[in-house]
Amino acid sequence: MIVAIVQDEDAGHLVDEMTEHGLRVTKLATTGGFLRAGNTTLLSGVEDDEVDMTLSLIEKTCRSRETMTAVAPVLTGEEGAFTPVPVQVRIGGATVFVLEISQFLKV
Ligand code: 2BA
């Protein structure tokens, strides 16, 4: 099982590539814990000999991007006053987990 967290901008193209290569994929709308922004998580049950091809498709399709975000408010000194700090963040290409599946059933 490949679990790939990708940017929304890359998700449609990646799903197209995967299905064109005969892979099955489920697309979930997810939210990153750090940016609290939408991203996409793809679940794909693949055979062992399809793992490398799947990873290649992900690498080929998912771009790395930079974004500015205001996170981690810091105390300014004034009691109760917080100032969001702008931070530049590089996202992706993709965060990928390759999992062993003990059973696959369709019932
Ligand atoms: P977010 O959690 O929203 O993180 C977006 C980007 O912010 C990350 O990009 C990384 O560059 C940065 N970032 C995240 N946590 C940080 C921190 N504590 N300090 C500084 N910068 C931080 P990516 O690494 O490409 O991750 C993109 C998305 O993939 C994440 O969105 C999250 O939804 C998922 N993700 C990444 N690593 C994960 C993991 N180990 N487990 C589960 N999900 C993960």
Side-chain angles (χ1 to χ4, degrees):
M1 168 75 75
I2 307 258
V3 178
I5 303 164
V6 306
Q7 293 171 74
D8 291 342
E9 295 90 326
D10 297 323
H13 187 195
L14 179 55
V15 169
D16 288 346
E17 286 279 342
M18 291 172 75
T19 51
E20 279 166 21
H21 285 77
L23 301 172
R24 295 181 183 206
V25 59
T26 296
K27 183 168 171 271
L28 307 174
T30 48
T31 303
F34 186 68
L35 294 181
R36 307 291 166 103
N39 55 27
T40 298
T41 298
L42 300 179
L43 306 179
S44 185
V46 302
E47 299 295 337
D48 287 346
D49 62 6
E50 293 173 325
V51 169
D52 287 346
M53 175 188 63
T54 308
L55 295 177
S56 300
L57 293 176
I58 294 170
E59 278 180 26
K60 185 179 89 172
T61 310
C62 296
R63 287 180 38 211
S64 169
R65 296 181 183 85
E66 295 207 340
T67 185
M68 290 298 292
T69 187
V71 292
V74 293
L75 200 55
T76 59
E78 222 175 295
E79 197 172 330
F82 291 83
T83 305
V85 177
V87 181
Q88 189 163 39
V89 172
R90 174 169 287 277
I91 313 171
T95 299
V96 182
F97 302 89
V98 181
L99 311 177
E100 294 281 348
I101 297 300
S102 60
Q103 270 196 313
F104 168 64
L105 303 173
K106 280 189 173 184
V107 292

XYZ file of all heavy atoms in Angstrom:
843
model
N 0.851 -1.187 0.000
C 0.000 0.000 0.000
C 0.887 1.236 0.000
O 1.786 1.369 0.829
C -0.888 0.005 1.252
C -1.591 1.317 1.512
S -2.967 1.628 0.418
C -4.161 0.511 1.114
N 0.628 2.107 -0.944
C 1.335 3.389 -0.993
C 0.373 4.451 -0.477
O -0.755 4.567 -0.965
C 1.732 3.757 -2.432
C 2.493 2.611 -3.084
C 2.473 5.075 -2.482
C 3.942 2.727 -3.173
N 0.833 5.208 0.506
C 0.078 6.359 0.994
C 0.921 7.585 0.614
O 2.055 7.721 1.068
C -0.104 6.305 2.524
C -0.854 7.548 3.020
C -0.848 5.039 2.932
N 0.363 8.442 -0.231
C 1.122 9.607 -0.698
C 0.346 10.880 -0.367
O -0.813 11.028 -0.773
C 1.361 9.518 -2.200
N 0.983 11.761 0.382
C 0.385 13.066 0.680
C 0.986 14.064 -0.308
O 2.214 14.245 -0.342
C 0.681 13.483 2.130
C 0.173 12.414 3.097
C 0.040 14.842 2.434
C 0.739 12.524 4.485
N 0.124 14.624 -1.139
C 0.604 15.489 -2.221
C -0.130 16.820 -2.174
O -1.166 16.955 -1.518
C 0.402 14.810 -3.605
C 1.035 13.427 -3.628
C -1.074 14.724 -3.981
N 0.391 17.786 -2.910
C -0.289 19.077 -2.984
C -1.497 18.960 -3.917
O -1.465 18.220 -4.904
C 0.684 20.138 -3.491
C 1.809 20.399 -2.491
C 2.884 21.288 -3.083
O 2.679 22.477 -3.240
N 4.021 20.704 -3.418
N -2.532 19.710 -3.581
C -3.766 19.655 -4.372
C -3.484 19.904 -5.861
O -4.101 19.281 -6.731
C -4.774 20.705 -3.875
C -5.318 20.376 -2.487
O -5.194 19.208 -2.053
O -5.865 21.294 -1.842
N -2.535 20.810 -6.138
C -2.237 21.169 -7.527
C -1.724 19.980 -8.335
O -1.867 19.938 -9.556
C -1.173 22.283 -7.580
C -1.623 23.603 -6.995
C -1.318 23.741 -5.509
O -1.378 22.713 -4.783
O -1.037 24.855 -5.061
N -1.086 19.021 -7.658
C -0.485 17.880 -8.359
C -1.400 16.656 -8.373
O -1.144 15.695 -9.114
C 0.828 17.483 -7.668
C 1.872 18.578 -7.722
O 1.949 19.274 -8.753
O 2.619 18.731 -6.737
N -2.434 16.677 -7.545
C -3.193 15.446 -7.296
C -3.903 14.918 -8.543
O -3.835 13.721 -8.846
C -4.201 15.682 -6.176
N -4.566 15.810 -9.283
C -5.333 15.357 -10.440
C -4.441 14.711 -11.487
O -4.745 13.634 -12.017
N -3.314 15.358 -11.747
C -2.374 14.838 -12.746
C -1.827 13.478 -12.299
O -1.701 12.544 -13.085
C -1.248 15.857 -12.930
C -0.302 15.550 -14.043
N 0.911 16.155 -14.180
C -0.389 14.662 -15.057
C 1.535 15.672 -15.239
N 0.755 14.757 -15.802
N -1.510 13.375 -10.997
C -0.962 12.110 -10.495
C -1.997 10.984 -10.583
O -1.666 9.861 -10.997
C -0.469 12.286 -9.050
C 0.097 11.032 -8.387
C 1.229 10.402 -9.208
C 0.601 11.373 -6.979
N -3.254 11.276 -10.238
C -4.303 10.256 -10.342
C -4.442 9.809 -11.804
O -4.556 8.610 -12.087
C -5.649 10.788 -9.797
C -6.793 9.855 -10.149
C -5.563 10.975 -8.289
N -4.393 10.783 -12.732
C -4.477 10.421 -14.159
C -3.335 9.480 -14.540
O -3.542 8.457 -15.184
C -4.386 11.687 -15.044
C -5.646 12.530 -14.963
O -6.665 12.023 -14.450
O -5.599 13.694 -15.398
N -2.113 9.842 -14.132
C -0.940 9.017 -14.477
C -1.080 7.612 -13.889
O -0.781 6.617 -14.549
C 0.342 9.667 -13.930
C 0.792 10.892 -14.685
C 1.566 10.529 -15.953
O 2.038 9.384 -16.076
O 1.681 11.400 -16.827
N -1.512 7.541 -12.650
C -1.606 6.233 -11.984
C -2.659 5.359 -12.658
O -2.421 4.180 -12.923
C -1.904 6.417 -10.493
C -0.721 7.019 -9.732
S -1.080 7.458 -8.027
C -1.098 5.847 -7.248
N -3.807 5.917 -12.946
C -4.863 5.105 -13.569
C -4.467 4.706 -14.995
O -4.732 3.587 -15.420
C -6.226 5.840 -13.557
O -6.064 7.137 -14.101
C -6.773 5.975 -12.156
N -3.771 5.623 -15.707
C -3.302 5.262 -17.057
C -2.303 4.113 -17.012
O -2.160 3.369 -17.975
C -2.641 6.479 -17.734
C -3.654 7.438 -18.340
C -3.054 8.781 -18.699
O -1.811 8.866 -18.868
O -3.818 9.768 -18.775
N -1.594 3.974 -15.893
C -0.635 2.876 -15.746
C -1.267 1.651 -15.066
O -0.562 0.759 -14.584
C 0.604 3.337 -14.966
C 1.529 4.191 -15.786
N 1.288 5.517 -16.060
C 2.684 3.885 -16.429
C 2.268 5.992 -16.812
N 3.126 5.017 -17.055
N -2.584 1.633 -14.991
C -3.272 0.442 -14.490
C -3.333 0.324 -12.978
O -3.677 -0.738 -12.458
N -3.009 1.397 -12.268
C -3.049 1.346 -10.803
C -4.413 1.818 -10.317
O -5.061 2.635 -10.963
C -1.954 2.245 -10.214
C -0.526 1.895 -10.626
C 0.444 2.964 -10.145
C -0.127 0.527 -10.067
N -4.797 1.300 -9.174
C -6.050 1.752 -8.554
C -5.704 2.723 -7.446
O -4.738 2.510 -6.704
C -6.807 0.567 -7.985
C -7.231 -0.354 -9.096
C -7.997 -1.523 -8.579
N -8.317 -2.400 -9.681
C -9.347 -3.223 -9.691
N -10.148 -3.291 -8.654
N -9.571 -3.993 -10.731
N -6.515 3.746 -7.328
C -6.155 4.801 -6.371
C -7.405 5.422 -5.783
O -8.435 5.537 -6.440
C -5.238 5.858 -7.053
C -5.908 6.498 -8.250
C -4.766 6.914 -6.077
N -7.309 5.782 -4.504
C -8.388 6.499 -3.810
C -7.850 7.840 -3.340
O -6.758 7.904 -2.757
C -8.890 5.683 -2.602
O -9.465 4.484 -3.079
C -9.935 6.461 -1.811
N -8.619 8.873 -3.603
C -8.172 10.246 -3.318
C -8.958 10.781 -2.118
O -10.191 10.760 -2.126
C -8.467 11.074 -4.576
C -8.057 12.503 -4.581
C -8.196 13.009 -6.036
C -8.013 14.498 -6.119
N -9.252 15.241 -5.932
N -8.241 11.233 -1.118
C -8.880 11.788 0.080
C -8.505 13.259 0.218
O -7.347 13.627 0.005
C -8.384 11.065 1.343
C -8.484 9.537 1.385
C -7.798 9.005 2.652
C -9.937 9.128 1.370
N -9.478 14.078 0.586
C -9.185 15.486 0.875
C -8.696 15.571 2.317
O -9.406 15.174 3.240
C -10.448 16.318 0.686
N -7.468 16.055 2.495
C -6.871 16.081 3.838
C -6.340 17.482 4.160
O -6.326 18.370 3.308
C -5.751 15.027 3.953
O -4.893 15.128 2.817
C -6.322 13.619 4.004
N -5.885 17.641 5.371
C -5.381 18.939 5.825
C -4.063 18.736 6.560
O -3.982 17.882 7.457
C -6.399 19.588 6.793
O -7.657 19.706 6.135
C -5.942 20.958 7.246
N -3.057 19.500 6.167
C -1.750 19.398 6.831
C -1.805 19.997 8.230
O -2.427 21.033 8.440
N -1.157 19.323 9.165
C -1.196 19.767 10.555
C -0.425 21.053 10.792
O -0.729 21.813 11.713
N 0.593 21.318 9.973
C 1.446 22.487 10.196
C 0.852 23.734 9.560
O 0.623 24.742 10.224
C 2.843 22.218 9.638
C 3.843 23.294 9.939
C 4.272 23.519 11.231
C 4.366 24.068 8.914
C 5.196 24.521 11.502
C 5.292 25.062 9.180
C 5.704 25.288 10.483
N 0.551 23.670 8.262
C 0.002 24.835 7.556
C -1.501 24.978 7.751
O -2.064 26.024 7.492
C 0.297 24.723 6.050
C 1.753 24.805 5.623
C 1.865 24.706 4.112
C 2.382 26.114 6.109
N -2.149 23.871 8.178
C -3.621 23.849 8.284
C -4.250 24.185 6.939
O -5.302 24.846 6.885
C -4.122 24.817 9.373
C -3.476 24.630 10.721
C -3.905 23.320 11.340
N -3.046 22.972 12.467
C -3.380 23.101 13.727
N -4.569 23.561 14.037
N -2.550 22.745 14.679
N -3.565 23.782 5.872
C -4.079 24.020 4.519
C -4.433 22.681 3.892
O -3.909 21.634 4.299
C -3.023 24.739 3.679
N -5.304 22.729 2.890
C -5.727 21.506 2.239
C -4.590 20.845 1.488
O -3.759 21.515 0.870
N -4.536 19.523 1.573
C -3.685 18.751 0.680
C -4.459 17.484 0.323
O -5.631 17.346 0.672
C -2.285 18.499 1.269
C -2.287 17.853 2.634
O -3.219 17.134 2.981
N -1.246 18.100 3.414
N -3.821 16.603 -0.418
C -4.527 15.411 -0.898
C -3.735 14.179 -0.491
O -2.513 14.144 -0.654
C -4.656 15.456 -2.435
O -5.430 16.615 -2.788
C -5.337 14.217 -2.971
N -4.432 13.198 0.042
C -3.790 11.932 0.371
C -4.329 10.862 -0.579
O -5.539 10.694 -0.716
C -4.073 11.539 1.833
O -3.522 12.554 2.685
C -3.429 10.206 2.170
N -3.394 10.185 -1.240
C -3.769 9.119 -2.171
C -3.425 7.775 -1.555
O -2.326 7.594 -1.010
C -3.013 9.286 -3.498
C -3.264 10.603 -4.245
C -2.429 10.630 -5.522
C -4.733 10.782 -4.576
N -4.373 6.852 -1.616
C -4.161 5.474 -1.179
C -4.137 4.607 -2.421
O -5.061 4.670 -3.230
C -5.298 4.995 -0.281
C -5.662 5.821 0.948
C -6.836 5.147 1.670
C -4.479 5.940 1.876
N -3.091 3.800 -2.551
C -3.031 2.929 -3.718
C -2.521 1.556 -3.308
O -1.375 1.419 -2.842
C -2.121 3.550 -4.788
O -2.150 2.784 -5.958
N -3.379 0.564 -3.445
C -2.964 -0.813 -3.175
C -2.260 -1.346 -4.414
O -2.878 -1.465 -5.470
N -0.964 -1.621 -4.281
C -0.184 -2.058 -5.457
C 0.532 -3.361 -5.139
O 0.760 -3.695 -3.970
C 0.863 -0.983 -5.874
C 0.174 0.338 -6.181
C 1.934 -0.794 -4.805
N 0.876 -4.099 -6.185
C 1.696 -5.306 -6.014
C 3.135 -4.878 -5.725
O 3.551 -3.771 -6.056
C 1.659 -6.142 -7.310
C 0.278 -6.616 -7.713
C -0.349 -7.600 -6.719
O 0.402 -8.247 -5.968
O -1.588 -7.695 -6.696
N 3.895 -5.813 -5.121
C 5.293 -5.492 -4.791
C 6.061 -5.000 -6.020
O 6.855 -4.059 -5.933
C 6.006 -6.731 -4.215
C 5.520 -7.034 -2.802
O 4.872 -6.162 -2.189
O 5.777 -8.163 -2.322
N 5.798 -5.639 -7.172
C 6.574 -5.258 -8.354
C 6.059 -3.970 -9.017
O 6.557 -3.570 -10.058
C 6.628 -6.420 -9.368
C 5.251 -6.809 -9.890
O 4.259 -6.122 -9.558
O 5.168 -7.801 -10.636
N 5.055 -3.348 -8.415
C 4.564 -2.067 -8.942
C 5.010 -0.878 -8.084
O 4.750 0.274 -8.434
C 3.032 -2.082 -9.005
C 2.455 -3.065 -10.020
C 0.937 -3.171 -9.936
O 0.382 -3.082 -8.811
O 0.307 -3.356 -10.990
N 5.680 -1.180 -6.960
C 6.038 -0.102 -6.027
C 6.984 0.904 -6.686
O 6.759 2.120 -6.639
C 6.669 -0.675 -4.738
C 7.281 0.445 -3.894
C 5.626 -1.431 -3.927
N 8.035 0.406 -7.350
C 9.019 1.327 -7.938
C 8.383 2.210 -9.012
O 8.665 3.413 -9.084
C 10.201 0.549 -8.527
C 11.096 -0.015 -7.439
O 10.958 0.412 -6.275
O 11.919 -0.893 -7.753
N 7.538 1.604 -9.839
C 6.877 2.392 -10.887
C 6.001 3.480 -10.257
O 5.990 4.633 -10.703
C 6.004 1.489 -11.761
C 5.217 2.277 -12.776
S 3.999 1.337 -13.690
C 2.863 0.812 -12.453
N 5.286 3.097 -9.187
C 4.413 4.071 -8.529
C 5.234 5.228 -7.967
O 4.877 6.401 -8.119
C 3.611 3.387 -7.406
O 2.972 2.229 -7.932
C 2.569 4.330 -6.821
N 6.349 4.901 -7.323
C 7.196 5.958 -6.759
C 7.740 6.856 -7.866
O 7.843 8.078 -7.703
C 8.338 5.343 -5.943
C 7.900 4.568 -4.687
C 9.104 3.940 -3.993
C 7.143 5.460 -3.703
N 8.077 6.258 -9.014
C 8.565 7.078 -10.142
C 7.501 8.036 -10.630
O 7.791 9.197 -10.944
C 8.973 6.189 -11.324
O 9.979 5.334 -10.954
N 6.259 7.553 -10.714
C 5.169 8.433 -11.164
C 4.990 9.592 -10.186
O 4.774 10.737 -10.592
C 3.864 7.645 -11.284
C 3.804 6.580 -12.381
C 2.478 5.825 -12.306
C 3.980 7.202 -13.754
N 5.088 9.295 -8.893
C 4.935 10.352 -7.880
C 6.073 11.370 -8.025
O 5.843 12.587 -8.044
C 4.911 9.742 -6.466
C 3.659 8.868 -6.277
C 4.963 10.839 -5.403
C 3.658 8.036 -5.013
N 7.296 10.860 -8.183
C 8.449 11.773 -8.307
C 8.323 12.644 -9.551
O 8.654 13.828 -9.540
C 9.750 10.963 -8.384
C 10.253 10.541 -7.029
C 11.534 9.738 -7.131
O 12.284 9.898 -8.117
O 11.775 8.930 -6.230
N 7.858 12.026 -10.632
C 7.753 12.744 -11.910
C 6.671 13.830 -11.852
O 6.791 14.876 -12.474
C 7.397 11.724 -13.005
C 7.365 12.260 -14.410
C 7.036 11.151 -15.394
C 5.543 11.030 -15.584
N 5.145 10.114 -16.655
N 5.623 13.585 -11.071
C 4.427 14.432 -11.129
C 4.390 15.523 -10.070
O 3.831 16.591 -10.299
C 3.168 13.536 -10.954
O 3.257 12.438 -11.843
C 1.902 14.310 -11.232
N 4.970 15.256 -8.914
C 4.778 16.165 -7.774
C 5.923 17.153 -7.652
O 7.077 16.755 -7.482
C 4.630 15.354 -6.487
S 3.160 14.346 -6.526
N 5.583 18.416 -7.735
C 6.592 19.481 -7.682
C 6.776 19.989 -6.267
O 5.861 19.950 -5.446
C 6.155 20.652 -8.572
C 6.283 20.362 -10.048
C 5.825 21.562 -10.867
N 6.216 22.821 -10.265
C 5.529 23.957 -10.367
N 4.398 23.975 -11.046
N 5.960 25.060 -9.804
N 7.964 20.497 -6.020
C 8.234 21.177 -4.760
C 7.887 22.652 -4.936
O 8.188 23.242 -5.970
C 9.716 20.982 -4.443
O 10.081 21.806 -3.402
N 7.219 23.241 -3.941
C 6.824 24.655 -4.035
C 7.110 25.353 -2.711
O 7.111 24.713 -1.673
C 5.336 24.789 -4.343
C 4.925 24.242 -5.682
C 3.442 24.435 -5.933
N 3.035 23.849 -7.207
C 2.699 22.580 -7.377
N 2.699 21.762 -6.345
N 2.366 22.117 -8.562
N 7.295 26.658 -2.809
C 7.497 27.433 -1.581
C 6.273 28.281 -1.312
O 5.632 28.768 -2.230
C 8.722 28.327 -1.714
C 9.982 27.515 -1.837
C 11.214 28.239 -1.334
O 11.171 29.468 -1.242
O 12.200 27.555 -1.034
N 5.964 28.435 -0.039
C 4.843 29.294 0.324
C 5.207 30.050 1.591
O 6.040 29.590 2.375
C 3.556 28.468 0.533
O 2.462 29.347 0.762
C 3.670 27.515 1.696
N 4.611 31.212 1.733
C 4.787 31.969 2.969
C 3.579 31.723 3.851
O 2.448 31.673 3.376
C 4.878 33.478 2.687
C 6.138 33.924 1.994
S 7.623 33.618 2.958
C 7.387 34.769 4.301
N 3.831 31.552 5.115
C 2.719 31.365 6.027
C 3.030 32.054 7.351
O 4.192 32.236 7.694
C 2.439 29.865 6.248
O 1.252 29.732 7.021
C 3.583 29.166 6.952
N 2.007 32.429 8.040
C 2.197 33.034 9.365
C 1.834 31.982 10.399
O 0.678 31.574 10.482
C 1.317 34.253 9.516
N 2.833 31.530 11.107
C 2.593 30.463 12.080
C 3.297 30.783 13.392
O 4.002 31.796 13.514
C 3.118 29.101 11.572
C 2.314 28.595 10.410
C 4.593 29.195 11.250
N 3.128 29.904 14.331
C 3.840 29.925 15.597
C 3.863 31.311 16.229
O 4.901 31.966 16.292
C 5.275 29.423 15.408
N 2.718 31.772 16.675
C 2.698 33.073 17.334
C 3.681 33.093 18.505
O 3.796 32.127 19.231
C 1.263 33.192 17.854
C 0.479 32.167 17.142
C 1.417 31.107 16.699
N 4.389 34.208 18.639
C 5.336 34.322 19.757
C 4.885 35.462 20.663
O 4.316 36.454 20.220
C 6.783 34.593 19.277
C 7.330 33.399 18.542
C 6.845 35.836 18.420
N 5.201 35.315 21.901
C 4.839 36.344 22.875
C 5.675 37.592 22.626
O 6.890 37.526 22.477
C 5.107 35.792 24.285
C 4.403 36.447 25.447
C 2.887 36.467 25.228
C 4.731 35.695 26.725
N 5.048 38.749 22.504
C 5.792 39.968 22.197
C 6.317 40.674 23.451
O 7.082 41.613 23.372
C 4.888 40.975 21.463
O 3.769 41.261 22.307
C 4.425 40.448 20.136
N 5.901 40.222 24.581
C 6.322 40.897 25.797
C 5.148 41.518 26.506
O 5.049 41.504 27.718
N 4.248 42.075 25.685
C 3.029 42.652 26.232
C 2.127 41.510 26.703
O 1.950 40.528 25.960
C 2.318 43.388 25.100
C 1.730 44.725 25.486
C 1.158 45.398 24.249
O 1.969 45.718 23.352
O -0.056 45.550 24.181
N 1.570 41.650 27.835
C 0.771 40.547 28.359
C -0.407 40.238 27.428
O -1.162 41.138 27.059
C 0.245 40.884 29.751
C -0.229 39.635 30.465
C -0.574 39.935 31.922
O 0.048 40.851 32.492
O -1.459 39.273 32.452
N -0.526 38.971 27.001
C -1.642 38.540 26.162
C -1.502 38.898 24.697
O -2.385 38.636 23.910
N -0.386 39.547 24.284
C -0.241 39.950 22.881
C 0.622 38.939 22.133
O 1.708 38.605 22.579
C 0.419 41.333 22.801
N 0.123 38.493 21.003
C 0.855 37.524 20.187
C 1.008 38.076 18.780
O 0.101 38.694 18.240
C 0.103 36.189 20.127
C 0.087 35.468 21.456
C -0.852 35.784 22.426
C 1.034 34.515 21.732
C -0.861 35.121 23.637
C 1.035 33.845 22.951
C 0.083 34.158 23.906
N 2.166 37.869 18.182
C 2.389 38.314 16.808
C 2.695 37.105 15.935
O 3.659 36.392 16.215
C 3.601 39.275 16.749
O 3.354 40.341 17.663
C 3.793 39.805 15.341
N 1.904 36.886 14.892
C 2.227 35.780 13.996
C 3.538 36.063 13.269
O 3.782 37.202 12.849
C 1.062 35.741 13.008
C 0.038 36.670 13.538
C 0.731 37.626 14.478
N 4.376 35.062 13.132
C 5.670 35.243 12.473
C 5.579 34.667 11.058
O 5.211 33.512 10.896
C 6.776 34.499 13.251
C 8.116 34.625 12.542
C 6.844 35.024 14.676
N 5.902 35.479 10.019
C 5.883 34.915 8.665
C 7.050 33.946 8.469
O 8.177 34.247 8.851
C 6.030 36.135 7.759
C 6.430 37.252 8.619
C 6.277 36.878 10.056
N 6.732 32.806 7.906
C 7.747 31.771 7.703
C 7.650 31.280 6.267
O 6.545 31.099 5.755
C 7.486 30.556 8.639
C 8.549 29.482 8.440
C 7.429 30.996 10.079
N 8.813 31.117 5.611
C 8.801 30.535 4.276
C 8.931 29.025 4.412
O 9.810 28.537 5.124
C 9.954 31.073 3.445
C 9.861 30.657 1.990
C 10.757 31.508 1.118
O 11.861 31.856 1.513
N 10.294 31.850 -0.061
N 8.033 28.308 3.742
C 7.991 26.854 3.883
C 8.080 26.211 2.509
O 7.415 26.646 1.579
C 6.657 26.434 4.565
C 6.501 24.931 4.549
C 6.597 26.960 5.984
N 8.930 25.214 2.395
C 9.013 24.451 1.132
C 8.177 23.191 1.295
O 8.410 22.405 2.218
C 10.473 24.097 0.831
C 10.635 23.181 -0.381
C 12.096 23.090 -0.805
N 12.537 24.319 -1.433
C 12.343 24.624 -2.715
N 11.713 23.773 -3.515
N 12.765 25.755 -3.214
N 7.213 23.016 0.415
C 6.308 21.870 0.511
C 6.611 20.880 -0.612
O 6.782 21.273 -1.756
C 4.830 22.284 0.364
C 4.515 23.484 1.240
C 3.917 21.127 0.697
C 3.142 24.075 0.990
N 6.604 19.611 -0.229
C 6.681 18.532 -1.230
C 8.036 18.409 -1.878
O 9.008 18.875 -1.314
N 8.002 17.804 -3.012
C 7.010 17.171 -3.870
C 5.942 16.346 -3.175
O 4.768 16.683 -3.248
N 6.284 15.232 -2.476
C 5.268 14.382 -1.881
C 5.857 13.724 -0.640
O 7.064 13.521 -0.554
C 4.812 13.320 -2.868
N 4.977 13.418 0.297
C 5.376 12.630 1.473
C 4.768 11.250 1.289
O 3.548 11.126 1.154
C 4.841 13.288 2.757
O 5.404 14.596 2.868
C 5.223 12.462 3.981
N 5.629 10.236 1.248
C 5.168 8.910 0.837
C 5.489 7.866 1.908
O 6.601 7.829 2.434
C 5.849 8.493 -0.488
C 5.339 7.128 -0.958
C 5.621 9.543 -1.563
N 4.503 7.055 2.205
C 4.694 5.908 3.102
C 4.430 4.642 2.279
O 3.430 4.576 1.557
C 3.706 5.946 4.272
C 3.798 7.211 5.101
C 3.045 8.334 4.772
C 4.627 7.275 6.206
C 3.124 9.497 5.526
C 4.709 8.436 6.969
C 3.963 9.548 6.634
N 5.318 3.668 2.398
C 5.092 2.369 1.741
C 4.831 1.355 2.854
O 5.685 1.119 3.708
C 6.318 1.954 0.901
C 6.050 0.618 0.212
C 6.653 3.029 -0.133
N 3.622 0.797 2.849
C 3.180 -0.076 3.939
C 3.026 -1.509 3.454
O 2.584 -1.750 2.324
C 1.816 0.390 4.474
C 1.650 1.870 4.807
C 0.221 2.149 5.246
C 2.608 2.270 5.914
N 3.370 -2.461 4.326
C 3.070 -3.872 4.061
C 1.614 -4.114 4.450
O 1.192 -3.692 5.531
C 3.954 -4.781 4.926
C 5.430 -4.716 4.615
C 5.786 -5.540 3.376
O 4.936 -6.317 2.910
O 6.917 -5.367 2.896
N 0.873 -4.785 3.603
C -0.533 -5.087 3.906
C -0.643 -6.584 4.193
O -0.203 -7.407 3.392
C -1.427 -4.701 2.696
C -1.350 -3.196 2.464
C -2.864 -5.150 2.914
C -1.813 -2.325 3.619
N -1.232 -6.922 5.335
C -1.300 -8.350 5.692
C -2.447 -9.049 4.980
O -2.379 -10.241 4.701
C -1.416 -8.515 7.208
O -2.570 -7.872 7.672
N -3.510 -8.344 4.672
C -4.639 -8.948 3.980
C -5.293 -7.932 3.074
O -5.403 -6.759 3.432
C -5.695 -9.404 4.984
C -5.513 -10.815 5.472
C -6.799 -11.293 6.142
O -7.360 -10.565 6.947
N -7.251 -12.473 5.802
N -5.754 -8.388 1.915
C -6.528 -7.530 1.009
C -7.802 -8.292 0.667
O -7.730 -9.399 0.123
C -5.712 -7.232 -0.246
C -6.512 -6.602 -1.363
C -7.082 -5.347 -1.200
C -6.701 -7.268 -2.553
C -7.824 -4.763 -2.216
C -7.443 -6.685 -3.593
C -7.998 -5.430 -3.410
N -8.941 -7.762 1.029
C -10.214 -8.446 0.817
C -11.161 -7.545 0.049
O -11.170 -6.321 0.258
C -10.879 -8.779 2.157
C -10.103 -9.627 3.149
C -10.880 -9.693 4.462
C -9.878 -11.024 2.599
N -11.966 -8.153 -0.803
C -13.125 -7.453 -1.362
C -14.309 -8.338 -1.028
O -14.354 -9.477 -1.507
C -13.000 -7.303 -2.858
C -12.102 -6.177 -3.267
C -12.191 -5.947 -4.755
C -11.424 -4.698 -5.140
N -11.575 -4.417 -6.563
N -15.201 -7.887 -0.186
C -16.288 -8.763 0.260
C -17.638 -8.182 -0.157
O -17.736 -7.017 -0.534
C -16.255 -8.972 1.785
C -15.020 -9.776 2.152
C -16.280 -7.662 2.516
P 1.835 20.329 6.712
O 1.875 19.623 8.026
O 0.857 21.420 6.552
O 3.312 20.839 6.406
C 3.572 21.645 5.275
C 5.050 21.937 5.169
O 5.434 22.701 6.304
C 5.947 20.704 5.189
O 6.079 20.210 3.865
C 7.242 21.236 5.757
O 8.020 21.858 4.762
C 6.758 22.307 6.714
N 6.671 21.839 8.100
C 5.847 20.901 8.594
N 6.018 20.770 9.926
C 6.975 21.651 10.260
C 7.596 22.024 11.480
N 7.277 21.420 12.640
N 8.561 22.990 11.454
C 8.896 23.602 10.303
N 8.329 23.319 9.122
C 7.385 22.353 9.087
P 6.190 18.666 3.612
O 7.252 18.072 4.516
O 6.349 18.474 2.151
O 4.810 18.031 4.103
C 3.610 18.234 3.359
C 2.443 17.616 4.076
O 2.665 16.214 4.188
C 2.262 18.076 5.517
O 1.513 19.274 5.554
C 1.489 16.924 6.130
O 0.126 16.982 5.756
C 2.120 15.735 5.427
N 3.210 15.138 6.186
C 4.516 15.423 6.106
N 5.236 14.628 6.909
C 4.353 13.817 7.519
C 4.469 12.762 8.478
N 5.669 12.373 8.988
N 3.353 12.139 8.900
C 2.129 12.508 8.403
N 1.956 13.491 7.485
C 3.052 14.130 7.062
